[in-house]
Amino acid sequence: MKNNGTQYGFATRAIHVGQDPEPATGAVVVPIYQTSTFAQDDIGVHKGYEYARTDNPTRTALEEALAALDNGHYAVTFASGLAAETTVLLMLSAGDHIICGDDVYGGTYRLFDKVFTRHGLTFDYVNTSNSDQVAAAIRPETKLIWLESPTNPLLKLADIATITQIAKPRGIRVVVDNTFASPYFQRPLDLGADIVLYSTTKYIGGHSDVVGGAVVVADEGLYTQLKFLQNAAGAVPGAFDSWLVLRGLKTLAVRMRAHEANALAIARLLEEHPLVEQVIYPGLPSHAQYELAQRQMHGFGGMISLVLQGGETAGRKMVTRTKLFTLAESLGGVESLIELPAAMTHASVAGSTLEVPAGLVRLSVGIEEEEDLVADIEQALV
Ligand code: P1T
């Protein structure tokens, strides 16, 4: 399918865009082109591929499919979500200012605070749920607004359309880390954002068997810069990892529907439970931005955060009592995971303004049987 599949629905595009049968043999599945280089007929005369850091056909298939799913024109893939983030920041120069949300993945904060500040970038961390606070943080040297929506781990939303309307006239680019929603439930380019970023390690890969990242854009100029940096900095995914992500992507639609159905059942159970103090899930009417979630997203995803009445002690107990929910970092795989962000995925924000509540428990709800997951959470809450 060569035309981005715009006439087809999401699930059809996920399976077909960039994934025509391979011409030489008819292989229905895109092969793993496990090669570092490609023969040239004469100097510079080749079939579109020279060297596998620059381009690899398995990676090209993944990039075409990802671009289509976000209604973008171009995707550039990376060896991890953080490699994607690094490459986006390499577009900037010393002296540039970035406004970032005050609740983001701990590794994102670590990259910004411990690495890029040394290279002369400056960051302000603001509550991106409040568009006025974002506007108030803009300086003449602001080049980028970095949003996670929903955020990791507090599941706060940013009003992407409003923030891009503030940014555009000032020439500021808006990046949305869309890892939690996935392109199935949220398409930031349609809301005006310039750059969509993913840890494909999560829902897009979907099986907890590969680490990867991606950036999707609609603008050709942005793509040219990113494509240059992908090759120049070289944090590319290998052919096998590209293939694994592409295989995961084919089932994204069915998986996301299943994640959401299970998450909704568990969120409702938690909300009724006497030992639970707070449940955060964008699909519950009790979520502070439920109205925005309904307007901006096509669904609410599979991530839930909660605080127990017993605080950190009770949270620490709960994460070791589940039998199906595995105690582990990461998220977005078919299997359910549970963790304590303050001590695990967000240990790197300790002592900063981004510090997360010590007792917060985060669930990545998988696609096992709903009643089994509900029973597992119930027995863990004692
Ligand atoms: O792990 P990596 O593929 O490099 O992706 C980093 C990343 C980027 N953005 C978001 C929103 C993320 O959640 C992550 C990684 N997060 C975890 C490993 C986690 O357990 O939260």
mmCIF file with all atom_site columns, all heavy atoms in Angstrom, residues 142-165:
data_model
loop_
_atom_site.group_PDB
_atom_site.id
_atom_site.type_symbol
_atom_site.label_atom_id
_atom_site.label_alt_id
_atom_site.label_comp_id
_atom_site.label_asym_id
_atom_site.label_entity_id
_atom_site.label_seq_id
_atom_site.pdbx_PDB_ins_code
_atom_site.Cartn_x
_atom_site.Cartn_y
_atom_site.Cartn_z
_atom_site.occupancy
_atom_site.B_iso_or_equiv
_atom_site.pdbx_formal_charge
_atom_site.auth_seq_id
_atom_site.auth_comp_id
_atom_site.auth_asym_id
_atom_site.auth_atom_id
_atom_site.pdbx_PDB_model_num
ATOM 1   N N   . THR A 1 142 ? 12.552 30.544 23.779 1.00 0.00 ? 142 THR A N   1
ATOM 2   C CA  . THR A 1 142 ? 11.846 29.255 23.846 1.00 0.00 ? 142 THR A CA  1
ATOM 3   C C   . THR A 1 142 ? 11.697 28.674 22.439 1.00 0.00 ? 142 THR A C   1
ATOM 4   O O   . THR A 1 142 ? 11.193 29.342 21.538 1.00 0.00 ? 142 THR A O   1
ATOM 5   C CB  . THR A 1 142 ? 10.449 29.420 24.492 1.00 0.00 ? 142 THR A CB  1
ATOM 6   O OG1 . THR A 1 142 ? 10.612 30.040 25.762 1.00 0.00 ? 142 THR A OG1 1
ATOM 7   C CG2 . THR A 1 142 ? 9.761  28.076 24.657 1.00 0.00 ? 142 THR A CG2 1
ATOM 8   N N   . LYS A 1 143 ? 12.135 27.428 22.274 1.00 0.00 ? 143 LYS A N   1
ATOM 9   C CA  . LYS A 1 143 ? 12.081 26.789 20.955 1.00 0.00 ? 143 LYS A CA  1
ATOM 10  C C   . LYS A 1 143 ? 11.148 25.582 20.928 1.00 0.00 ? 143 LYS A C   1
ATOM 11  O O   . LYS A 1 143 ? 10.688 25.177 19.868 1.00 0.00 ? 143 LYS A O   1
ATOM 12  C CB  . LYS A 1 143 ? 13.501 26.338 20.538 1.00 0.00 ? 143 LYS A CB  1
ATOM 13  C CG  . LYS A 1 143 ? 14.427 27.490 20.219 1.00 0.00 ? 143 LYS A CG  1
ATOM 14  C CD  . LYS A 1 143 ? 14.098 28.075 18.854 1.00 0.00 ? 143 LYS A CD  1
ATOM 15  C CE  . LYS A 1 143 ? 14.574 29.495 18.633 1.00 0.00 ? 143 LYS A CE  1
ATOM 16  N NZ  . LYS A 1 143 ? 15.923 29.787 19.059 1.00 0.00 ? 143 LYS A NZ  1
ATOM 17  N N   . LEU A 1 144 ? 10.906 24.999 22.124 1.00 0.00 ? 144 LEU A N   1
ATOM 18  C CA  . LEU A 1 144 ? 10.170 23.738 22.152 1.00 0.00 ? 144 LEU A CA  1
ATOM 19  C C   . LEU A 1 144 ? 9.273  23.689 23.390 1.00 0.00 ? 144 LEU A C   1
ATOM 20  O O   . LEU A 1 144 ? 9.684  24.154 24.458 1.00 0.00 ? 144 LEU A O   1
ATOM 21  C CB  . LEU A 1 144 ? 11.200 22.610 22.247 1.00 0.00 ? 144 LEU A CB  1
ATOM 22  C CG  . LEU A 1 144 ? 10.984 21.287 21.540 1.00 0.00 ? 144 LEU A CG  1
ATOM 23  C CD1 . LEU A 1 144 ? 10.812 21.509 20.040 1.00 0.00 ? 144 LEU A CD1 1
ATOM 24  C CD2 . LEU A 1 144 ? 12.188 20.363 21.786 1.00 0.00 ? 144 LEU A CD2 1
ATOM 25  N N   . ILE A 1 145 ? 8.064  23.163 23.199 1.00 0.00 ? 145 ILE A N   1
ATOM 26  C CA  . ILE A 1 145 ? 7.217  22.829 24.349 1.00 0.00 ? 145 ILE A CA  1
ATOM 27  C C   . ILE A 1 145 ? 7.087  21.314 24.336 1.00 0.00 ? 145 ILE A C   1
ATOM 28  O O   . ILE A 1 145 ? 6.702  20.726 23.312 1.00 0.00 ? 145 ILE A O   1
ATOM 29  C CB  . ILE A 1 145 ? 5.845  23.520 24.271 1.00 0.00 ? 145 ILE A CB  1
ATOM 30  C CG1 . ILE A 1 145 ? 6.022  25.042 24.319 1.00 0.00 ? 145 ILE A CG1 1
ATOM 31  C CG2 . ILE A 1 145 ? 4.922  23.035 25.404 1.00 0.00 ? 145 ILE A CG2 1
ATOM 32  C CD1 . ILE A 1 145 ? 4.747  25.838 24.120 1.00 0.00 ? 145 ILE A CD1 1
ATOM 33  N N   . TRP A 1 146 ? 7.441  20.692 25.452 1.00 0.00 ? 146 TRP A N   1
ATOM 34  C CA  . TRP A 1 146 ? 7.505  19.228 25.529 1.00 0.00 ? 146 TRP A CA  1
ATOM 35  C C   . TRP A 1 146 ? 6.362  18.724 26.412 1.00 0.00 ? 146 TRP A C   1
ATOM 36  O O   . TRP A 1 146 ? 6.361  18.979 27.619 1.00 0.00 ? 146 TRP A O   1
ATOM 37  C CB  . TRP A 1 146 ? 8.844  18.808 26.126 1.00 0.00 ? 146 TRP A CB  1
ATOM 38  C CG  . TRP A 1 146 ? 9.121  17.347 26.017 1.00 0.00 ? 146 TRP A CG  1
ATOM 39  C CD1 . TRP A 1 146 ? 8.586  16.345 26.780 1.00 0.00 ? 146 TRP A CD1 1
ATOM 40  C CD2 . TRP A 1 146 ? 10.007 16.718 25.090 1.00 0.00 ? 146 TRP A CD2 1
ATOM 41  N NE1 . TRP A 1 146 ? 9.075  15.138 26.372 1.00 0.00 ? 146 TRP A NE1 1
ATOM 42  C CE2 . TRP A 1 146 ? 9.948  15.335 25.339 1.00 0.00 ? 146 TRP A CE2 1
ATOM 43  C CE3 . TRP A 1 146 ? 10.839 17.199 24.067 1.00 0.00 ? 146 TRP A CE3 1
ATOM 44  C CZ2 . TRP A 1 146 ? 10.704 14.419 24.603 1.00 0.00 ? 146 TRP A CZ2 1
ATOM 45  C CZ3 . TRP A 1 146 ? 11.578 16.277 23.342 1.00 0.00 ? 146 TRP A CZ3 1
ATOM 46  C CH2 . TRP A 1 146 ? 11.508 14.910 23.615 1.00 0.00 ? 146 TRP A CH2 1
ATOM 47  N N   . LEU A 1 147 ? 5.416  18.042 25.780 1.00 0.00 ? 147 LEU A N   1
ATOM 48  C CA  . LEU A 1 147 ? 4.253  17.569 26.527 1.00 0.00 ? 147 LEU A CA  1
ATOM 49  C C   . LEU A 1 147 ? 4.249  16.050 26.588 1.00 0.00 ? 147 LEU A C   1
ATOM 50  O O   . LEU A 1 147 ? 4.570  15.385 25.597 1.00 0.00 ? 147 LEU A O   1
ATOM 51  C CB  . LEU A 1 147 ? 2.955  18.012 25.827 1.00 0.00 ? 147 LEU A CB  1
ATOM 52  C CG  . LEU A 1 147 ? 2.786  19.504 25.527 1.00 0.00 ? 147 LEU A CG  1
ATOM 53  C CD1 . LEU A 1 147 ? 1.499  19.721 24.717 1.00 0.00 ? 147 LEU A CD1 1
ATOM 54  C CD2 . LEU A 1 147 ? 2.739  20.308 26.818 1.00 0.00 ? 147 LEU A CD2 1
ATOM 55  N N   . GLU A 1 148 ? 3.842  15.530 27.732 1.00 0.00 ? 148 GLU A N   1
ATOM 56  C CA  . GLU A 1 148 ? 3.374  14.143 27.811 1.00 0.00 ? 148 GLU A CA  1
ATOM 57  C C   . GLU A 1 148 ? 1.885  14.263 28.096 1.00 0.00 ? 148 GLU A C   1
ATOM 58  O O   . GLU A 1 148 ? 1.479  15.050 28.942 1.00 0.00 ? 148 GLU A O   1
ATOM 59  C CB  . GLU A 1 148 ? 4.021  13.398 28.981 1.00 0.00 ? 148 GLU A CB  1
ATOM 60  C CG  . GLU A 1 148 ? 5.298  12.699 28.661 1.00 0.00 ? 148 GLU A CG  1
ATOM 61  C CD  . GLU A 1 148 ? 5.844  11.878 29.842 1.00 0.00 ? 148 GLU A CD  1
ATOM 62  O OE1 . GLU A 1 148 ? 5.071  11.481 30.741 1.00 0.00 ? 148 GLU A OE1 1
ATOM 63  O OE2 . GLU A 1 148 ? 7.061  11.660 29.860 1.00 0.00 ? 148 GLU A OE2 1
ATOM 64  N N   . SER A 1 149 ? 1.077  13.495 27.406 1.00 0.00 ? 149 SER A N   1
ATOM 65  C CA  . SER A 1 149 ? -0.362 13.521 27.687 1.00 0.00 ? 149 SER A CA  1
ATOM 66  C C   . SER A 1 149 ? -0.968 12.200 27.243 1.00 0.00 ? 149 SER A C   1
ATOM 67  O O   . SER A 1 149 ? -0.957 11.918 26.037 1.00 0.00 ? 149 SER A O   1
ATOM 68  C CB  . SER A 1 149 ? -1.041 14.688 26.950 1.00 0.00 ? 149 SER A CB  1
ATOM 69  O OG  . SER A 1 149 ? -2.378 14.820 27.366 1.00 0.00 ? 149 SER A OG  1
ATOM 70  N N   . PRO A 1 150 ? -1.496 11.364 28.142 1.00 0.00 ? 150 PRO A N   1
ATOM 71  C CA  . PRO A 1 150 ? -1.404 11.481 29.595 1.00 0.00 ? 150 PRO A CA  1
ATOM 72  C C   . PRO A 1 150 ? 0.048  11.382 30.078 1.00 0.00 ? 150 PRO A C   1
ATOM 73  O O   . PRO A 1 150 ? 0.876  10.745 29.442 1.00 0.00 ? 150 PRO A O   1
ATOM 74  C CB  . PRO A 1 150 ? -2.213 10.273 30.096 1.00 0.00 ? 150 PRO A CB  1
ATOM 75  C CG  . PRO A 1 150 ? -3.029 9.813  28.947 1.00 0.00 ? 150 PRO A CG  1
ATOM 76  C CD  . PRO A 1 150 ? -2.271 10.181 27.721 1.00 0.00 ? 150 PRO A CD  1
ATOM 77  N N   . THR A 1 151 ? 0.297  12.015 31.246 1.00 0.00 ? 151 THR A N   1
ATOM 78  C CA  . THR A 1 151 ? 1.647  12.017 31.785 1.00 0.00 ? 151 THR A CA  1
ATOM 79  C C   . THR A 1 151 ? 1.956  10.726 32.528 1.00 0.00 ? 151 THR A C   1
ATOM 80  O O   . THR A 1 151 ? 1.066  10.008 32.979 1.00 0.00 ? 151 THR A O   1
ATOM 81  C CB  . THR A 1 151 ? 1.852  13.192 32.754 1.00 0.00 ? 151 THR A CB  1
ATOM 82  O OG1 . THR A 1 151 ? 0.951  13.028 33.874 1.00 0.00 ? 151 THR A OG1 1
ATOM 83  C CG2 . THR A 1 151 ? 1.597  14.530 32.094 1.00 0.00 ? 151 THR A CG2 1
ATOM 84  N N   . ASN A 1 152 ? 3.236  10.495 32.673 1.00 0.00 ? 152 ASN A N   1
ATOM 85  C CA  . ASN A 1 152 ? 3.765  9.335  33.391 1.00 0.00 ? 152 ASN A CA  1
ATOM 86  C C   . ASN A 1 152 ? 4.392  9.835  34.696 1.00 0.00 ? 152 ASN A C   1
ATOM 87  O O   . ASN A 1 152 ? 5.376  10.570 34.639 1.00 0.00 ? 152 ASN A O   1
ATOM 88  C CB  . ASN A 1 152 ? 4.830  8.686  32.489 1.00 0.00 ? 152 ASN A CB  1
ATOM 89  C CG  . ASN A 1 152 ? 5.453  7.453  33.100 1.00 0.00 ? 152 ASN A CG  1
ATOM 90  O OD1 . ASN A 1 152 ? 5.079  7.016  34.194 1.00 0.00 ? 152 ASN A OD1 1
ATOM 91  N ND2 . ASN A 1 152 ? 6.419  6.876  32.394 1.00 0.00 ? 152 ASN A ND2 1
ATOM 92  N N   . PRO A 1 153 ? 3.872  9.521  35.883 1.00 0.00 ? 153 PRO A N   1
ATOM 93  C CA  . PRO A 1 153 ? 2.846  8.516  36.153 1.00 0.00 ? 153 PRO A CA  1
ATOM 94  C C   . PRO A 1 153 ? 1.496  9.086  36.618 1.00 0.00 ? 153 PRO A C   1
ATOM 95  O O   . PRO A 1 153 ? 0.616  8.316  36.967 1.00 0.00 ? 153 PRO A O   1
ATOM 96  C CB  . PRO A 1 153 ? 3.461  7.757  37.325 1.00 0.00 ? 153 PRO A CB  1
ATOM 97  C CG  . PRO A 1 153 ? 4.131  8.842  38.130 1.00 0.00 ? 153 PRO A CG  1
ATOM 98  C CD  . PRO A 1 153 ? 4.598  9.878  37.138 1.00 0.00 ? 153 PRO A CD  1
ATOM 99  N N   . LEU A 1 154 ? 1.334  10.411 36.629 1.00 0.00 ? 154 LEU A N   1
ATOM 100 C CA  . LEU A 1 154 ? 0.119  10.964 37.264 1.00 0.00 ? 154 LEU A CA  1
ATOM 101 C C   . LEU A 1 154 ? -1.079 11.059 36.320 1.00 0.00 ? 154 LEU A C   1
ATOM 102 O O   . LEU A 1 154 ? -2.167 11.476 36.726 1.00 0.00 ? 154 LEU A O   1
ATOM 103 C CB  . LEU A 1 154 ? 0.423  12.328 37.907 1.00 0.00 ? 154 LEU A CB  1
ATOM 104 C CG  . LEU A 1 154 ? 1.378  12.254 39.112 1.00 0.00 ? 154 LEU A CG  1
ATOM 105 C CD1 . LEU A 1 154 ? 1.763  13.665 39.595 1.00 0.00 ? 154 LEU A CD1 1
ATOM 106 C CD2 . LEU A 1 154 ? 0.758  11.474 40.273 1.00 0.00 ? 154 LEU A CD2 1
ATOM 107 N N   . LEU A 1 155 ? -0.876 10.723 35.039 1.00 0.00 ? 155 LEU A N   1
ATOM 108 C CA  . LEU A 1 155 ? -1.964 10.668 34.058 1.00 0.00 ? 155 LEU A CA  1
ATOM 109 C C   . LEU A 1 155 ? -2.694 11.999 33.929 1.00 0.00 ? 155 LEU A C   1
ATOM 110 O O   . LEU A 1 155 ? -3.920 12.049 33.807 1.00 0.00 ? 155 LEU A O   1
ATOM 111 C CB  . LEU A 1 155 ? -2.930 9.511  34.404 1.00 0.00 ? 155 LEU A CB  1
ATOM 112 C CG  . LEU A 1 155 ? -2.253 8.134  34.467 1.00 0.00 ? 155 LEU A CG  1
ATOM 113 C CD1 . LEU A 1 155 ? -3.173 7.087  35.071 1.00 0.00 ? 155 LEU A CD1 1
ATOM 114 C CD2 . LEU A 1 155 ? -1.796 7.673  33.079 1.00 0.00 ? 155 LEU A CD2 1
ATOM 115 N N   . LYS A 1 156 ? -1.899 13.080 33.977 1.00 0.00 ? 156 LYS A N   1
ATOM 116 C CA  . LYS A 1 156 ? -2.466 14.404 33.737 1.00 0.00 ? 156 LYS A CA  1
ATOM 117 C C   . LYS A 1 156 ? -2.526 14.628 32.224 1.00 0.00 ? 156 LYS A C   1
ATOM 118 O O   . LYS A 1 156 ? -1.686 14.108 31.478 1.00 0.00 ? 156 LYS A O   1
ATOM 119 C CB  . LYS A 1 156 ? -1.579 15.485 34.374 1.00 0.00 ? 156 LYS A CB  1
ATOM 120 C CG  . LYS A 1 156 ? -1.444 15.352 35.883 1.00 0.00 ? 156 LYS A CG  1
ATOM 121 C CD  . LYS A 1 156 ? -0.958 16.637 36.535 1.00 0.00 ? 156 LYS A CD  1
ATOM 122 C CE  . LYS A 1 156 ? 0.455  17.000 36.205 1.00 0.00 ? 156 LYS A CE  1
ATOM 123 N NZ  . LYS A 1 156 ? 0.947  18.183 36.960 1.00 0.00 ? 156 LYS A NZ  1
ATOM 124 N N   . LEU A 1 157 ? -3.469 15.417 31.781 1.00 0.00 ? 157 LEU A N   1
ATOM 125 C CA  . LEU A 1 157 ? -3.590 15.695 30.351 1.00 0.00 ? 157 LEU A CA  1
ATOM 126 C C   . LEU A 1 157 ? -3.183 17.133 30.057 1.00 0.00 ? 157 LEU A C   1
ATOM 127 O O   . LEU A 1 157 ? -3.346 18.013 30.905 1.00 0.00 ? 157 LEU A O   1
ATOM 128 C CB  . LEU A 1 157 ? -5.035 15.483 29.876 1.00 0.00 ? 157 LEU A CB  1
ATOM 129 C CG  . LEU A 1 157 ? -5.699 14.153 30.220 1.00 0.00 ? 157 LEU A CG  1
ATOM 130 C CD1 . LEU A 1 157 ? -7.068 14.075 29.545 1.00 0.00 ? 157 LEU A CD1 1
ATOM 131 C CD2 . LEU A 1 157 ? -4.847 12.969 29.803 1.00 0.00 ? 157 LEU A CD2 1
ATOM 132 N N   . ALA A 1 158 ? -2.678 17.346 28.862 1.00 0.00 ? 158 ALA A N   1
ATOM 133 C CA  . ALA A 1 158 ? -2.426 18.705 28.375 1.00 0.00 ? 158 ALA A CA  1
ATOM 134 C C   . ALA A 1 158 ? -3.413 18.959 27.240 1.00 0.00 ? 158 ALA A C   1
ATOM 135 O O   . ALA A 1 158 ? -3.702 18.045 26.450 1.00 0.00 ? 158 ALA A O   1
ATOM 136 C CB  . ALA A 1 158 ? -0.995 18.820 27.863 1.00 0.00 ? 158 ALA A CB  1
ATOM 137 N N   . ASP A 1 159 ? -3.926 20.167 27.161 1.00 0.00 ? 159 ASP A N   1
ATOM 138 C CA  . ASP A 1 159 ? -4.837 20.532 26.071 1.00 0.00 ? 159 ASP A CA  1
ATOM 139 C C   . ASP A 1 159 ? -3.969 20.838 24.840 1.00 0.00 ? 159 ASP A C   1
ATOM 140 O O   . ASP A 1 159 ? -3.488 21.961 24.659 1.00 0.00 ? 159 ASP A O   1
ATOM 141 C CB  . ASP A 1 159 ? -5.677 21.747 26.503 1.00 0.00 ? 159 ASP A CB  1
ATOM 142 C CG  . ASP A 1 159 ? -6.738 22.093 25.468 1.00 0.00 ? 159 ASP A CG  1
ATOM 143 O OD1 . ASP A 1 159 ? -6.539 21.767 24.284 1.00 0.00 ? 159 ASP A OD1 1
ATOM 144 O OD2 . ASP A 1 159 ? -7.745 22.706 25.857 1.00 0.00 ? 159 ASP A OD2 1
ATOM 145 N N   . ILE A 1 160 ? -3.766 19.819 24.029 1.00 0.00 ? 160 ILE A N   1
ATOM 146 C CA  . ILE A 1 160 ? -2.787 19.907 22.936 1.00 0.00 ? 160 ILE A CA  1
ATOM 147 C C   . ILE A 1 160 ? -3.177 20.985 21.922 1.00 0.00 ? 160 ILE A C   1
ATOM 148 O O   . ILE A 1 160 ? -2.332 21.773 21.481 1.00 0.00 ? 160 ILE A O   1
ATOM 149 C CB  . ILE A 1 160 ? -2.637 18.515 22.257 1.00 0.00 ? 160 ILE A CB  1
ATOM 150 C CG1 . ILE A 1 160 ? -2.089 17.494 23.269 1.00 0.00 ? 160 ILE A CG1 1
ATOM 151 C CG2 . ILE A 1 160 ? -1.734 18.598 21.031 1.00 0.00 ? 160 ILE A CG2 1
ATOM 152 C CD1 . ILE A 1 160 ? -2.167 16.044 22.821 1.00 0.00 ? 160 ILE A CD1 1
ATOM 153 N N   . ALA A 1 161 ? -4.456 21.071 21.579 1.00 0.00 ? 161 ALA A N   1
ATOM 154 C CA  . ALA A 1 161 ? -4.891 22.063 20.579 1.00 0.00 ? 161 ALA A CA  1
ATOM 155 C C   . ALA A 1 161 ? -4.670 23.484 21.091 1.00 0.00 ? 161 ALA A C   1
ATOM 156 O O   . ALA A 1 161 ? -4.166 24.347 20.361 1.00 0.00 ? 161 ALA A O   1
ATOM 157 C CB  . ALA A 1 161 ? -6.360 21.837 20.225 1.00 0.00 ? 161 ALA A CB  1
ATOM 158 N N   . THR A 1 162 ? -5.023 23.728 22.355 1.00 0.00 ? 162 THR A N   1
ATOM 159 C CA  . THR A 1 162 ? -4.858 25.079 22.906 1.00 0.00 ? 162 THR A CA  1
ATOM 160 C C   . THR A 1 162 ? -3.378 25.450 22.986 1.00 0.00 ? 162 THR A C   1
ATOM 161 O O   . THR A 1 162 ? -2.984 26.565 22.619 1.00 0.00 ? 162 THR A O   1
ATOM 162 C CB  . THR A 1 162 ? -5.510 25.148 24.310 1.00 0.00 ? 162 THR A CB  1
ATOM 163 O OG1 . THR A 1 162 ? -6.899 24.862 24.148 1.00 0.00 ? 162 THR A OG1 1
ATOM 164 C CG2 . THR A 1 162 ? -5.348 26.515 24.944 1.00 0.00 ? 162 THR A CG2 1
ATOM 165 N N   . ILE A 1 163 ? -2.558 24.522 23.448 1.00 0.00 ? 163 ILE A N   1
ATOM 166 C CA  . ILE A 1 163 ? -1.128 24.825 23.601 1.00 0.00 ? 163 ILE A CA  1
ATOM 167 C C   . ILE A 1 163 ? -0.463 25.046 22.236 1.00 0.00 ? 163 ILE A C   1
ATOM 168 O O   . ILE A 1 163 ? 0.364  25.948 22.076 1.00 0.00 ? 163 ILE A O   1
ATOM 169 C CB  . ILE A 1 163 ? -0.424 23.731 24.435 1.00 0.00 ? 163 ILE A CB  1
ATOM 170 C CG1 . ILE A 1 163 ? -0.950 23.815 25.885 1.00 0.00 ? 163 ILE A CG1 1
ATOM 171 C CG2 . ILE A 1 163 ? 1.096  23.883 24.399 1.00 0.00 ? 163 ILE A CG2 1
ATOM 172 C CD1 . ILE A 1 163 ? -0.493 22.697 26.805 1.00 0.00 ? 163 ILE A CD1 1
ATOM 173 N N   . THR A 1 164 ? -0.868 24.296 21.228 1.00 0.00 ? 164 THR A N   1
ATOM 174 C CA  . THR A 1 164 ? -0.257 24.526 19.906 1.00 0.00 ? 164 THR A CA  1
ATOM 175 C C   . THR A 1 164 ? -0.706 25.877 19.329 1.00 0.00 ? 164 THR A C   1
ATOM 176 O O   . THR A 1 164 ? 0.068  26.539 18.637 1.00 0.00 ? 164 THR A O   1
ATOM 177 C CB  . THR A 1 164 ? -0.584 23.399 18.898 1.00 0.00 ? 164 THR A CB  1
ATOM 178 O OG1 . THR A 1 164 ? -1.991 23.232 18.837 1.00 0.00 ? 164 THR A OG1 1
ATOM 179 C CG2 . THR A 1 164 ? 0.044  22.097 19.300 1.00 0.00 ? 164 THR A CG2 1
ATOM 180 N N   . GLN A 1 165 ? -1.932 26.285 19.668 1.00 0.00 ? 165 GLN A N   1
ATOM 181 C CA  . GLN A 1 165 ? -2.373 27.620 19.204 1.00 0.00 ? 165 GLN A CA  1
ATOM 182 C C   . GLN A 1 165 ? -1.557 28.741 19.844 1.00 0.00 ? 165 GLN A C   1
ATOM 183 O O   . GLN A 1 165 ? -1.343 29.788 19.255 1.00 0.00 ? 165 GLN A O   1
ATOM 184 C CB  . GLN A 1 165 ? -3.858 27.816 19.502 1.00 0.00 ? 165 GLN A CB  1
ATOM 185 C CG  . GLN A 1 165 ? -4.745 27.167 18.447 1.00 0.00 ? 165 GLN A CG  1
ATOM 186 C CD  . GLN A 1 165 ? -6.171 26.981 18.915 1.00 0.00 ? 165 GLN A CD  1
ATOM 187 O OE1 . GLN A 1 165 ? -6.621 27.668 19.824 1.00 0.00 ? 165 GLN A OE1 1
ATOM 188 N NE2 . GLN A 1 165 ? -6.879 26.061 18.291 1.00 0.00 ? 165 GLN A NE2 1
#
